[in-house]
């Protein structure tokens, strides 16, 4: 196995692993807030559930990035060190952005869930604000797509 292949697989592993960890942490933060809010207001469970699930998308971006990169790698007969480095960079970027944006989106969602549980009508505003961290995950996913096109 060459250094280029090792770099590429490390990048893919970081892409999937870190983005998935970010989603797991983010949805857990939202889930904890939901359990607390249910004690105050059971009627809004649907809103809590939607907000809690939002950070789950970062893991999906990591998984989709894997398919894009893997599909491109299957077309390459011999991977160069530059191509392996490009895959590593794409994986690191998407993985780190997915990790941090998933956690931060979970925090934004949790605060909205707490507000809804306390009787405030903040579902729509929370959805808008929770999308902001997601935008950076989308940008990192788009960068992964562009990097794969350059392989």
């Amino acid at each position: 196995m060459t250094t280029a292949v090792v770099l590429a697989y490390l990048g893919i592993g970081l892409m999937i692993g870190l983005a998935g960890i970010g989603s797991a942490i983010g949805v857990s933060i939202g889930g904890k807030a939901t359990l607390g809010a249910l004690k105050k207001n059971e009627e809004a469970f649907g809103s809590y559930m939607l907000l809690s699930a939002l950070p789950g998308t970062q893991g999906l971006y990591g998984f989709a990035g894997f398919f894009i990169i893997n599909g491109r790698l299957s077309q390459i007969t011999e991977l160069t060190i530059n191509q392996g480095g490009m895959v590593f960079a794409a994986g690191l970027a998407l993985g780190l952005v997915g990790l941090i944006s998933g956690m931060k989106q979970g925090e934004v969602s949790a605060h909205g869930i707490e507000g809804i549980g306390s009787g405030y009508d903040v579902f729509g505003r929370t959805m808008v604000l929770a999308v902001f961290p997601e935008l950076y995950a989308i940008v990192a996913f788009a960068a992964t797509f562009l990097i794969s096109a350059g392989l």
Side-chain angles (χ1 to χ4, degrees):
M1 188 174 290
T2 67
T3 303
V5 173
V6 171
L7 278 174
Y9 279 112
L10 281 173
I12 289 172
L14 289 170
M15 178 186 301
I16 295 170
L18 292 176
I21 290 169
S23 281
I25 292 171
V27 296
S28 296
I29 291 169
K32 286 183 208 172
T34 294
L35 291 174
L38 281 171
K39 295 173 188 170
K40 297 177 186 174
N41 179 8
E42 288 184 22
E43 305 291 319
F45 178 72
S47 297
Y48 303 153
M49 186 178 65
L50 287 174
L51 291 172
S52 295
L54 280 179
T57 55
Q58 278 77 0
L60 296 176
Y61 294 137
F63 198 55
F66 158 73
F67 277 106
I68 289 171
I69 294 287
N70 195 43
R72 184 68 182 113
L73 288 177
S74 68
Q75 299 170 350
I76 297 172
T77 54
E78 191 164 330
L79 197 66
T80 66
I81 191 76
N82 275 353
Q83 291 169 322
M86 290 169 68
V87 173
F88 180 81
L92 183 64
L94 182 54
L96 283 176
V97 173
L99 172 69
I100 295 170
S101 68
M103 293 186 313
K104 294 302 178 184
Q105 191 174 43
E107 291 172 6
V108 172
S109 295
H111 286 291
I113 290 167
E114 290 169 7
I116 294 167
S118 297
Y120 296 99
D121 182 20
V122 293
F123 176 75
R125 293 179 198 136
T126 302
M127 287 291 281
V128 170
L129 293 173
V131 168
F132 291 153
E134 176 110 12
L135 291 176
Y136 295 98
I138 293 170
V139 168
F141 178 72
T144 300
F145 184 78
L146 294 174
I147 289 171
S148 75
L151 289 175

